[in-house]
Structures are given as C-alpha cells and as structure tokens.
Amino acid sequence: MLNLTGDPEIRRVAGEIREKAAFGGYVISDVILREGGVEYQFVDLVMEGGGTLGVALVGYIHALEQANVRFLGMGGSSVGAIVALLAYGCGGRMEAKGERLAGIIGGMDLGSLVDDSRAAKMISKLFGEQGVPFSVPKIILNLVLSLRQIVLLLRQISRTLGLNSGDMLYEWIADNLAEYGIHTLAELNALTGKLPEGLTNRITGEPITEYDASIRIVAADVTTSTKVVFPEMAPMYWQEPEGVNPACFARASASIPLFFQPFNVGGISEIIEGGGKWERLGSFKGTLPGRVSFVDGGLLSNFPIDLFKRNGVPRAPTLGARLGNKDRSAKDITSVGQYAGGLLSALRHYADYDFIFKNPLYKYLIAHIPTEKYHWLDFNMGPEEKLGLFREGFMAGHRFLEGFDWEQYKELRRAEIEIYRAHEKMKK
C-alpha cells in the first residue's frame, strides 16, 4: 500500500510544522480548545471540485492538522464534497483526518471507482495525462484512431446519459462511512452534531457553546434548475431525510456530466408537505416533478467559498482550497473546442468569481494547489502521480500556514465594515 504521509519530504516538513505549532507559531483562529498541553484551533474549510485532483485536497488537510488545526464546518463541490464528507464523518472533530484519508486513498485503485474501465482509458487516451482538453492537436489524431470505440461510448451515453453508473463511487463512499458507524444522516449528525467540550474564545476566554458547524455539499438539480446544498435541502427530495445515507449527497455532487450517469431521486411530488418545503428551501415555484436528476455541483459552483459566509469579524476563518492556478486570463476563442471550453469554464466559475470580486478579502483565506501537470479525469493514475498530488496539496498547506496573518485579516475585515457603514450612512 502506498504510504502518502510516509514520504521523506512530507515527514520532514510535517515535523517542522509541529515544532513551530508547539511554540504558538501559528495563529489561525480565535476558536480554540486547550487539551493536554496542546492548543487546537478551529476553522471552516471549503474545497474545490476537480475529479482525481482531489488527492491534493487530502494533502492540504494533512498539513493544516500538523499545526493542530481542526475543522468545524466543511463543504465543497464534486470531489471537494467527497473529501469534505469523508473528513467530516471519519471520527469526531478532535481527531486528525488527513492521515486517515491518506491511508484510504493510498491503498485504493482510482480506476475501481468507474464501472467501465474502457471509459477511463478512453478519456486518458483522448486528453492525455497532462494539459487541458481541446487544446492539443494530438487529440484530433486520437479521435480518428479511436473512432469505433467512441461511437460505442456515444451510444452508451445516449441510452444512460453517462459512461458509468456511479454505483462503484457511491459504494466506496458508503463503505468508508460505514467504517465509522455511519449509514444514515441521523448517525452522521449524532457523531458530529455536538461541539467539542471546552471550546473557548481566544480573545475573551468565554466558552463557545453555539457555532454553525455543519457539512455542506453542493449539487446541481438540473430538473428544476436548482443549486442544492445538502443536507440542508434534503427535505425537498426525501420524505425522511434522516434515514438517507449521506453518501447520496456526495454521489449527487460528483456526477460529472456524461462521465457519470445523473443521480436520480424519485417520488418528489409525493413528499408529505413537499410543496411547503420547496417554498421554504428552494426557488422553484412550479409543479413538483415526479423525479429529479442531479449532476456535478461544480457545474453551478465549483468552488462554493460562500457556504460559510459570516457577517462581521468572524471568530474563525473560512479557509478555501483551490485546485490549480486560478489566475484569470483572457482566452482567444478561435476554435469550436476553445469555444466549448470557454462556455464550460464560465458556467463552473462565474458565481465563484463574482462572490470573490464582491468580497475581495477572501483571497487571503484561499490556498492555490498547483495541479496543472495532472489531469482531472486520470482514473488510471499511478502511485507516482498520486504521491505528487498529495505532496502538492501538503506543501500548499504549509505555504498557507507560513503566510497567513490572522490578526491582520481581522483588521482588514474591521476596516471593510467601517467603510461599508460609512457608505450606507452617506446614502441616507
């Protein structure tokens, strides 16, 4: 089994982080808990979607945990949702999750998550292990050489709307949750619903007994054009949401269009008081459908950093982990491929870019993990690539710890609030 956390470079840097943390070298949050001579700090975390690049997200979590950082709220889209759910559900909030998740990923074949290995191999062959789809002339040659296989796969897509059923992905998520006694949303809430005893405010010393700590998973309901956040909006789709396996939420969020079949939920129109719940929780006002289909949450918001937006100066920051260099640059659209790629990018990132534009201080909370040399649909990834992604995420976490200034961030938030108040006063 591949030991991701046993890599010599990761172990060396992890030791440096732990040593610095032992002497109070990292101040990340004002929500703390002191136990056994150790000060734990608590944050919220939102993770971006990105297929198999999600291995890097586990490395990022592992780095923060070396500094005794723990997580209250966790959320994301697609693979970010999967990692959030597994981290949220694999033990209580005081337990480190990074090494646990690294063990799960290190010992598995990513190809086992797809029902038809031909599909994964075809994707890798068409797009290669590096680069962005639609940008390399070699793709055209591969298309010609693989024409017969492509025709067969297109026929499959026309029948099922996806190359893979997603059953293997669901079972993998459900099996890992079951290892910790989680088979239903009620059991997840029982494990994580209570705050750790002893939480205090670093500044005032007062105990913290209330905090909006939860799991938030974004999926796209394409039947009613609704951006769905699970489990908050689960009552819209299930009559007894407490009995639903949380793996359903992650499976819905990770339904990569055409690669995985949509995740379907039936009986919507028969839900008791369904209309009222839809009015309270969602924006759809028409006749309720009998069935809805979910696709990848990243289609509407691939990096939903607004999931834990809090007014005023927060007691704890909402950190974000992004996959790849997201510096925006203009694209010269000269081909159908570039046009299609541009449309997809606009769909996936518009809401996220707009939120960060309107809330610019969030840029100080976001870590960018370099993943450009890896392909997001490489389900044939070998040990070397897997370790490389984990290392990139871990080192990005280390860089964030070294560069983040919590006190400065709070000062900026206070200044931002004063400017807003002055502006509102002038308007009156």
Side-chain angles (χ1 to χ4, degrees):
M1 183 178 76
L2 177 62
N3 183 4
L4 295 173
T5 59
D7 175 71
E9 180 65 8
I10 290 176
R11 291 181 63 182
R12 180 186 67 80
V13 177
E16 293 177 359
I17 296 174
R18 290 193 298 269
E19 183 177 359
K20 185 172 180 177
F23 291 94
Y26 300 113
V27 179
I28 306 296
S29 170
D30 287 335
V31 179
I32 64 171
L33 189 156
R34 295 186 175 95
E35 182 178 84
V38 177
E39 180 181 276
Y40 295 93
Q41 304 181 75
F42 291 81
V43 302
D44 298 320
L45 176 62
V46 175
M47 291 173 282
E48 186 174 32
T52 53
L53 302 179
V55 175
L57 298 173
V58 179
Y60 178 78
I61 290 174
H62 183 56
L64 265 59
E65 289 179 337
Q66 303 310 297
N68 300 319
V69 174
R70 297 294 185 264
F71 307 99
L72 291 168
M74 300 189 79
S77 291
S78 196
V79 73
I82 294 175
V83 174
L85 178 60
L86 292 179
Y88 195 76
C90 292
R93 285 197 176 88
M94 291 300 295
E95 300 178 46
K97 312 296 182 66
E99 189 159 1
R100 195 169 292 174
L101 293 178
I104 293 173
I105 293 174
M108 71 173 295
D109 173 16
L110 293 178
S112 67
L113 300 181
V114 297
D115 307 88
D116 188 343
S117 61
R118 294 178 305 163
K121 291 178 181 178
M122 176 63 67
I123 293 294
S124 294
K125 184 175 182 181
L126 291 179
F127 301 131
E129 296 182 357
Q130 301 180 6
V132 180
F134 312 116
S135 64
V136 182
K138 184 179 177 182
I139 296 175
I140 300 175
L141 177 61
N142 286 335
L143 282 170
V144 174
L145 295 176
S146 308
L147 188 58
R148 180 177 179 278
Q149 290 176 290
I150 292 171
V151 170
L152 293 175
L153 293 177
L154 287 176
R155 286 179 179 174
Q156 181 178 337
I157 290 174
S158 67
R159 293 194 306 269
T160 64
L161 303 182
L163 295 173
N164 300 282
S165 70
D167 293 343
M168 303 297 290
L169 176 61
Y170 170 84
E171 290 173 9
W172 178 75
I173 300 170
D175 287 346
N176 280 287
L177 290 176
E179 290 287 326
Y180 295 89
I182 297 173
H183 306 86
T184 66
L185 176 58
E187 290 172 337
L188 177 65
N189 290 337
L191 176 67
T192 61
K194 295 181 180 179
L195 294 176
E197 294 184 7
L199 281 186
T200 59
N201 186 309
R202 179 197 301 277
I203 305 301
T204 65
E206 298 176 350
I208 296 175
T209 57
E210 293 184 2
Y211 192 92
D212 181 16
S214 60
I215 179 74
R216 296 180 184 175
I217 292 173
V218 176
D221 167 3
V222 293
T223 303
T224 67
S225 302
T226 300
K227 176 183 173 181
V228 178
V229 179
F230 288 128
E232 175 187 342
M233 298 170 71
M236 294 168 56
Y237 300 94
W238 287 277
Q239 184 169 323
E240 298 180 358
E242 292 292 307
V244 174
N245 193 314
C248 291
F249 309 147
R251 164 65 179 88
S253 180
S255 302
I256 302 171
L258 305 183
F259 190 80
F260 287 116
Q261 295 172 19
F263 182 75
N264 300 314
V265 177
I268 306 302
S269 58
E270 301 173 3
I271 293 179
I272 297 175
E273 298 180 356
K277 292 174 182 177
W278 277 74
E279 288 180 5
R280 293 197 308 272
L281 300 174
S283 59
F284 182 74
K285 304 301 180 184
T287 302
L288 294 180
R291 185 184 79 165
V292 298
S293 296
F294 292 100
V295 298
D296 198 310
L299 191 67
L300 298 179
S301 180
N302 202 44
F303 181 53
I305 189 64
D306 60 334
L307 282 176
F308 298 101
K309 185 178 186 301
R310 306 181 191 281
N311 296 324
V313 178
R315 291 175 293 179
T318 296
L319 305 186
R322 304 206 71 174
L323 296 168
N325 181 8
K326 293 301 187 296
D327 290 339
R328 298 175 69 180
S329 58
K331 299 176 178 62
D332 186 15
I333 306 298
T334 59
S335 69
V336 173
Q338 291 171 335
Y339 178 61
L343 285 175
L344 180 61
S345 179
L347 283 171
R348 295 171 66 226
H349 298 300
Y350 167 75
D352 307 328
Y353 284 149
D354 186 59
F355 177 81
I356 294 173
F357 172 74
K358 294 176 180 176
N359 299 272
L361 293 185
Y362 269 79
K363 66 183 179 181
Y364 295 106
L365 306 175
I366 298 171
H368 295 267
I369 305 173
T371 57
E372 287 76 16
K373 64 180 181 180
Y374 303 92
H375 196 282
W376 69 288
L377 283 179
D378 184 10
F379 283 88
N380 299 311
M381 185 181 297
E384 185 177 338
E385 290 80 11
K386 203 182 287 186
L387 177 58
L389 275 169
F390 184 85
R391 186 187 292 121
E392 292 287 7
F394 182 86
M395 295 306 175
H398 181 223
R399 289 192 296 273
F400 177 81
L401 288 169
E402 292 294 317
F404 182 60
D405 189 327
W406 172 234
E407 294 301 327
Q408 181 185 51
Y409 175 76
K410 288 191 295 182
E411 285 300 318
L412 290 172
R413 283 294 296 266
R414 292 188 187 99
E416 182 182 59
I417 292 169
E418 288 303 316
I419 292 173
Y420 174 79
R421 288 174 177 170
H423 178 69
E424 290 297 305
K425 186 175 182 180
M426 289 176 62
K427 285 175 24 178
K428 294 179 180 178

